[in-house]
Amino acid sequence: MASSAIETDGQEILDLEKNRQAEMSQWVLNAPEPPSLWRELMDSARETVLPRGKRFPYLKDKDGLSKTVISVLQAMFPIFSWCRHYNATKLRNDLLAGLTLASLCIPQSIGYATLAKLDPQYGLYTSVIPPLIYAVMGTSRDIAIGPVAVVSLLMSSMVPKLEDPEANPIAYRNLVLTTTFFAGIFQAAFGLFRLGFLVDFLSHAAIVGFVSGAAIVIGLQQMKGLLGIAHFTNKTDVISVMQAIWRSVHQYWNPHNFILGCSFLSFIKLTRFVGKRNRKLFWLPATAPLISVVLSTLLVYLTRADKHGVMIIKHIKKGLNPGSMLKLDLYALNQHHSLSIGRSFASIKGYHINGNQEMVAFGFMNILGSFTSCYVATGSFSRSAVNFSAGCETAMSNIVMAITVIISLELFTRLLYFTPIAVLSAIILSALPGLVDPHEAYYIWKVDKLDFLVCIGAFFGVLFASVEIGLLAAVIISFVKIIIFSIRPGTEELGRLPGTDIFCDVNQYPMAVKNSKALIIRVKSGLLCFANANFVKEKIMKWATEDSQGKRTVQVVILDMSNLMNIDMSGIASLLELQNNLASGGMELAITNPKWQVIHKLRLANFVTKMGGRVFLTVGEAVDACLGAKMAAV
């Protein structure tokens, strides 16, 4: 009697367990329909056009409406948020940071304008309007806005293919302004429509390689000013630049330019060394470029070195930014770094950077900048580091810097007449070592070899071909990497961790125990589609047949779909073929934990019925149900 009661209780427990497994399987099979494609598109569009709709509800009462308007204005113009808490202490810190920033910005802007093959004043113009607009619309407190070396190189390498800056400087300038306008349009569109993810196609490794290669090319091009070479190549690849330097050295170069440039380059480097040793002297390396300009200009003026072959800037146009809207050549054109700089300093200070708002701010500052004789402006890492070290509190430091540049344009441009070009080259050269980052390249190599291939592809493309070839090489290698991972996704065999109901990769966890009668496979891909479905099917069949012919007798193949986000018709067809092939070999197919979109499509394709309804929530339940049913049948 006692044994009969025990058997009855055991049978009841077994029945309850089977009922529980069946109920949980129904949870998977009877899930509600996922949102339709039209619904997803509409929700995405609504979130794109009105990303803050939930945060700013339109309230009926006047006070609520006014609060909504204020909130919207604060979101669009962050200056309204931080200016409410502005005080004298913050103004003092921003004033010091802005003046320090201006002392570095003025000589660099003049040098970068010459690098972009523009007159020097255009670099100063670009340090006025864009920083003022960014201070109103930007969300970073530390980023410093203005012209930068890499963008200037892009201008000087790509725009001259359409207009010769020496033969037709006015048309070249107009085309640069037009390029700036369209750059701003694209940046603003990316921010407004939340398309910043498109910038991510240029990966971190690609940017590291591209910037390093561009820095070396920029450095070699500065030999023109450092050696006093009058005529130089317009090409940017390292071989052409080295050939131009070699020919010029053997024909004509002026040692006075070289001695002057190297002397002040050594001075700037020395101040940077002192500044790193003593953090309280952060202002010394920041002001060193301006000191170099003042001293070298005074030296050339007093000695009249320009009469002995020292090349000087000569005339810089006086006055504020002239309007240039009518100079845009809209018929001449056929119809990723600054944000990371801002985020770097924001993470140190513990505040948030709004990526989409940053893109909008960059876009509008370049659009309006193109109307006021500015070329493409962005965030400078070297100047942002100076701004941060100087103790800036808000974007007011950009406003202080812009005002200082305005004063310089009005009052001091005539004093820069005798500024030697060799010193401007020295200033640009002094800023380049920070752009070449061999430690980061080694880190990429150590972590991800394919990412390193992207990095060196961009590096050598810029160095030995051109800027656009370097970018193209990086993007192509990145896409090839994505395609390889997509069409040949990894698969892993799972085993049960001892004493648990957890199933893990047996290669990663050697202690995991494989089931002798069940082959448990997980596909390491988010999509089973036309590109990889046949490869996955062949891989699973190979494992199943090899195990069946070996020591193991596989009775069921369990496919863990926990990684699979979606499936297409080719994927469903491959699963059906896999089911038929396994059945012909005396094996069954079961699937576990299919995601919402996946199980919905499998039901519509009637695949669940064809495979006998073997769909489970977890791998453990699939093992117990499939092997338990077989044991009961025996």
Side-chain angles (χ1 to χ4, degrees):
M1 293 291 291
S3 61
S4 177
I6 293 173
E7 289 179 2
T8 303
D9 291 341
Q11 185 62 40
E12 289 179 355
I13 293 173
L14 184 60
D15 291 341
L16 288 172
E17 182 65 22
K18 287 182 178 179
N19 291 335
R20 188 185 69 84
Q21 290 179 355
E23 183 182 2
M24 294 181 72
S25 294
Q26 290 302 314
W27 293 351
V28 181
L29 292 171
N30 296 329
E33 286 193 13
S36 64
L37 178 61
W38 175 253
R39 173 74 178 276
E40 290 182 347
L41 290 174
M42 290 299 295
D43 288 345
S44 177
R46 188 181 298 110
E47 182 66 17
T48 296
V49 177
L50 300 171
R52 303 180 183 88
K54 294 181 180 178
R55 253 187 288 171
F56 307 132
Y58 288 98
L59 302 178
K60 295 182 179 179
D61 58 283
K62 293 182 179 179
D63 291 340
L65 182 59
S66 63
K67 289 180 180 178
T68 300
V69 172
I70 292 173
S71 298
V72 172
L73 287 174
Q74 288 177 348
M76 294 177 61
F77 305 102
I79 191 172
F80 290 134
S81 296
W82 57 259
C83 71
R84 292 184 304 162
H85 309 289
Y86 206 67
N87 53 42
T89 302
K90 290 183 178 180
L91 176 61
R92 182 189 63 201
N93 293 336
D94 285 338
L95 190 63
L96 175 62
L99 292 174
T100 307
L101 200 57
S103 67
L104 176 62
C105 167
I106 292 171
Q108 277 193 351
S109 297
I110 295 172
Y112 293 152
T114 58
L115 177 61
K117 301 187 185 302
L118 294 167
D119 292 333
Q121 65 267 18
Y122 287 97
L124 297 176
Y125 294 158
T126 309
S127 298
V128 174
I129 300 299
L132 291 175
I133 296 171
Y134 182 83
V136 175
M137 301 186 67
T139 58
S140 173
R141 306 172 194 169
D142 304 279
I143 194 169
I145 301 298
V148 296
V150 175
V151 173
S152 301
L153 174 65
L154 280 167
M155 288 293 181
S156 64
S157 63
M158 299 178 74
V159 180
K161 295 177 181 178
L162 300 175
E163 287 290 351
D164 189 339
E166 295 184 1
N168 199 347
I170 296 177
Y172 174 80
R173 178 205 61 196
N174 294 346
L175 198 54
V176 167
L177 297 178
T178 307
T179 304
T180 302
F181 173 77
F182 279 106
I185 289 291
F186 281 110
Q187 287 174 317
F190 282 3
L192 289 172
F193 296 105
R194 308 183 78 183
L195 300 175
F197 68 91
L198 294 174
V199 182
D200 294 335
F201 281 109
L202 201 61
S203 65
H204 171 71
I207 292 173
V208 170
F210 171 76
V211 171
S212 298
I216 293 175
V217 171
I218 292 169
L220 289 173
Q221 286 190 334
Q222 296 316 301
M223 298 304 292
K224 173 185 177 182
L226 207 62
L227 297 174
I229 301 171
H231 300 287
F232 206 67
T233 180
N234 288 326
K235 297 181 179 179
T236 58
D237 63 285
V238 66
I239 295 176
S240 299
V241 175
M242 289 296 293
Q243 287 176 343
I245 294 172
W246 183 256
R247 286 195 302 267
S248 300
V249 167
H250 279 73
Q251 294 176 5
Y252 173 78
W253 67 285
N254 192 297
H256 297 100
N257 288 280
F258 184 74
I259 294 171
L260 192 64
C262 289
S263 299
F264 282 99
L265 178 61
S266 302
F267 168 71
I268 294 171
K269 286 293 185 182
L270 179 62
T271 58
R272 190 164 296 174
F273 174 76
V274 173
K276 286 183 178 179
R277 296 292 297 270
N278 189 345
R279 293 293 181 183
K280 293 182 179 179
L281 296 176
F282 70 89
W283 54 269
L284 187 58
T287 57
L290 185 61
I291 294 172
S292 300
V293 168
V294 173
L295 291 179
S296 63
T297 302
L298 187 62
L299 181 64
V300 171
Y301 175 73
L302 293 176
T303 61
R304 295 314 305 260
D306 57 306
K307 301 293 186 182
H308 302 282
V310 173
M311 298 174 65
I312 58 175
I313 293 179
K314 296 184 179 179
H315 180 67
I316 297 181
K317 189 175 180 180
K318 176 185 176 182
L320 300 180
N321 299 40
S324 57
M325 185 183 298
L326 299 179
K327 297 175 183 176
L328 299 183
D329 189 359
L330 299 179
Y331 298 100
L333 297 179
N334 294 323
Q335 290 302 111
H336 153 9
H337 189 57
S338 302
L339 189 56
S340 62
I341 294 171
R343 282 179 174 157
S344 301
F345 293 109
S347 63
I348 297 174
K349 288 190 174 180
Y351 64 92
H352 175 68
I353 291 289
N354 185 326
N356 289 311
Q357 180 62 28
E358 287 292 286
M359 294 295 287
V360 172
F362 286 134
F364 274 94
M365 76 184 190
N366 281 316
I367 292 171
L368 297 178
S370 68
F371 297 160
T372 53
S373 300
C374 305
Y375 74 99
V376 178
T378 186
S380 164
F381 184 81
S382 61
R383 294 197 295 274
S384 297
V386 168
N387 198 28
F388 177 82
S389 301
C392 69
E393 296 279 354
T394 67
M396 181 63 74
S397 59
N398 273 292
I399 297 176
V400 174
M401 178 196 72
I403 293 172
T404 307
V405 176
I406 290 173
I407 295 172
S408 301
L409 278 167
E410 286 288 351
L411 302 178
F412 303 128
T413 52
R414 292 184 63 184
L415 300 179
L416 297 174
Y417 182 90
F418 291 99
T419 301
I421 293 176
V423 171
L424 296 180
S425 297
I427 292 170
I428 294 175
L429 284 169
S430 68
L432 295 180
L435 298 178
V436 181
D437 196 346
H439 297 292
E440 186 65 19
Y442 173 72
Y443 176 73
I444 294 171
W445 161 260
K446 187 170 65 173
V447 174
D448 192 325
K449 301 300 187 291
L450 283 177
D451 254 4
F452 181 75
L453 188 61
V454 175
C455 179
I456 62 172
F459 178 77
F460 287 118
V462 172
L463 210 59
F464 293 104
S466 64
V467 173
E468 52 268 38
I469 293 296
L471 287 173
L472 184 62
V475 171
I476 288 175
I477 296 173
S478 298
F479 270 106
V480 170
K481 173 184 171 183
I482 294 171
I483 292 170
I484 290 174
F485 284 143
S486 298
I487 64 176
R488 299 182 67 86
T491 52
E492 54 192 20
E493 184 177 1
L494 306 184
R496 190 192 299 262
L497 291 180
T500 71
D501 198 26
I502 300 173
F503 288 80
C504 299
D505 182 7
V506 294
N507 293 319
Q508 183 177 357
Y509 299 93
M511 72 289 298
V513 180
K514 294 192 286 188
N515 193 300
S516 61
K517 297 182 180 180
L519 176 63
I520 308 168
I521 302 294
R522 180 162 60 205
V523 181
K524 296 188 288 186
S525 174
L527 178 64
L528 189 64
C529 63
F530 67 93
N532 58 21
N534 191 60
F535 174 80
V536 171
K537 180 200 69 177
E538 295 295 337
K539 191 76 176 288
I540 294 174
M541 279 303 303
K542 182 180 179 182
W543 279 14
T545 53
E546 284 179 352
D547 283 342
S548 297
Q549 294 171 1
K551 297 179 180 179
R552 297 172 62 184
T553 305
V554 176
Q555 298 179 0
V556 60
V557 174
I558 299 173
L559 188 58
D560 181 3
M561 291 187 167
S562 56
N563 286 344
L564 205 61
M565 295 294 108
N566 213 329
I567 190 170
D568 69 357
M569 290 305 300
S570 297
I572 295 173
S574 70
L575 288 180
L576 184 59
E577 189 176 348
L578 176 64
Q579 153 77 15
N580 295 334
N581 291 343
L582 290 173
S584 64
M587 293 173 279
E588 293 180 347
L589 175 66
I591 61 175
T592 69
N593 195 20
K595 299 302 182 185
W596 203 2
Q597 296 284 357
V598 175
I599 190 59
H600 177 66
K601 291 183 179 181
L602 293 180
R603 283 188 322 194
L604 291 177
N606 205 26
F607 177 77
V608 175
T609 303
K610 293 177 182 177
M611 68 177 299
R614 289 183 294 274
V615 180
F616 303 94
L617 190 61
T618 66
V619 175
E621 290 174 4
V623 172
D624 295 340
C626 293
L627 297 183
K630 283 184 172 289
M631 294 297 293
V634 174

